[in-house]
Amino acid sequence: MFVPCGESVPDLTNFTLLMPAVSVGNVGQLAIDLIISTLNMYKIGYFYTDCLVPMVGNNPYATEEENSNELSINTEVYSLPSRKLVVLQLRSIFIKYKSKSFCEQLLAWVESSGCARIVVLSSSHSYHRGDGQLRSTPFRYLLTPCLQKSVQNKIKSLNWLEMEKTRCIPEMSDSEFCIRIPGGGITKTLYDKSCSKEMQMAVLLKFVSEGDNIPDAVSLVEYLNEWLQIIKPSSDSPTASALPWKIPSSWRLLFGSGLPPALF
């Protein structure tokens, strides 16, 4: 499944894998864009898979003319060995009935590569929130039992809210309770399979609506940064709260190139 850019397969032992779910508002993918761009991560390979719609485009992180002609495809892997981070970016949707197969292949690769844990950045439809969720922050997290043992003290210190269980069939008052992530794409499938395989996985998600979801992506990576300390504030001043996230060059065309003046 994984094809390295070089001749040898990079050593990812004890790395943390960050990846998005293709979910409502594309929040996870935007968040991963911010991480790759800010940390100036370099591409180490890609996934050869028939599970996603094929696509090709220009380098989304181009900083100069020399690298603007590089091509990108639907699944690419980036790395930063100094931080023990590896990132998978997904840029297209899943082919019908292929998402479960992708999750199985992905987790098999994670096990074979020696990655220590997975962090999935995701989102869920805000209009599915219950009364209690409406009265609190729109951020939630999930941890598999294996990961919970090692990070629960840190997570408690952050005062994060765990994703609540809701009725499996909302319309039925006698329905059992379970974890539901409407609009979350493969998030729930990855989480369930990681639990059954006893793998370490965390899910960080926000309740959002479709639209300009850049603020949601920034908020999500700042939650992630609270935990993993990917980057530090640009100033030592206690009043400085803005983190120096680097906006990818491709975001200039996120909503198209604008209306041509000739229309007016």
Side-chain angles (χ1 to χ4, degrees):
M1 186 180 186
F2 176 73
V3 180
C5 288
E7 296 181 358
S8 60
V9 177
D11 182 10
L12 302 178
T13 305
N14 293 324
F15 276 51
T16 294
L17 170 65
L18 307 179
M19 65 168 289
V22 183
S23 53
V24 57
N26 304 110
V27 174
Q29 293 156 292
L30 292 172
I32 291 295
D33 264 353
L34 280 173
I35 293 168
I36 294 172
S37 181
T38 301
L39 298 180
N40 196 27
M41 303 179 82
Y42 66 94
K43 192 186 330 184
I44 60 171
Y46 60 91
F47 282 179
Y48 183 75
T49 174
D50 62 352
C51 298
L52 288 101
V53 173
M55 65 139 287
V56 65
N58 289 337
N59 179 7
Y61 313 113
T63 55
E64 52 191 18
E65 189 174 349
E66 285 74 14
N67 63 7
S68 62
N69 293 327
E70 294 177 8
L71 297 180
S72 63
I73 59 173
N74 54 9
T75 55
E76 293 184 326
V77 183
Y78 297 79
S79 178
L80 189 64
S82 62
R83 304 282 183 89
K84 288 280 186 178
L85 286 177
V86 59
V87 169
L88 167 65
Q89 178 62 297
L90 304 177
R91 297 194 178 96
S92 68
I93 61 174
F94 288 96
I95 293 173
K96 197 172 184 180
Y97 306 124
K98 291 280 191 176
S99 59
K100 289 186 178 179
S101 174
F102 178 84
C103 292
E104 291 169 356
Q105 295 174 37
L106 171 66
L107 294 179
W109 173 73
V110 171
E111 287 184 311
S112 65
S113 65
C115 288
R117 59 188 175 185
I118 311 168
V119 180
V120 179
L121 304 181
S122 184
S123 53
S124 183
H125 286 299
S126 60
Y127 61 80
H128 278 278
R129 285 181 292 174
D131 292 343
Q133 293 171 331
L134 285 167
R135 290 191 292 266
S136 61
T137 172
F139 172 78
R140 292 294 186 276
Y141 78 93
L142 279 171
L143 300 175
T144 58
C146 288
L147 182 59
Q148 194 161 10
K149 297 174 184 177
S150 58
V151 303
Q152 59 183 354
N153 291 334
K154 174 63 176 178
I155 297 298
K156 283 182 179 179
S157 70
L158 298 173
N159 295 317
W160 288 357
L161 295 177
E162 189 172 7
M163 187 67 173
E164 302 89 346
K165 290 186 177 181
T166 56
R167 295 191 184 279
C168 298
I169 306 177
E171 295 79 12
M172 296 180 60
S173 59
D174 59 346
S175 173
E176 295 181 355
F177 285 80
C178 63
I179 297 293
R180 295 178 64 251
I181 308 176
I186 62 172
T187 307
K188 181 68 162 49
T189 301
L190 275 175
Y191 176 76
D192 288 341
K193 289 186 178 294
S194 295
C195 288
S196 63
K197 289 177 174 289
E198 297 185 349
M199 298 178 67
Q200 296 192 33
M201 173 181 284
V203 175
L204 308 188
L205 68 84
K206 283 201 70 180
F207 296 112
V208 304
S209 300
E210 291 279 3
D212 181 357
N213 295 103
I214 290 176
D216 296 309
V218 173
S219 173
L220 191 58
V221 292
E222 288 187 343
Y223 277 110
L224 175 69
N225 197 63
E226 275 189 89
W227 174 25
L228 297 184
Q229 295 293 295
I230 295 174
I231 63 172
K232 295 182 179 180
S234 55
S235 172
D236 294 329
S237 170
T239 58
S241 58
L243 293 170
W245 301 109
K246 181 182 177 183
I247 304 299
S249 57
S250 55
W251 282 20
R252 289 177 297 179
L253 301 176
L254 201 59
F255 299 102
S257 56
L259 297 174
L263 283 177
F264 307 98

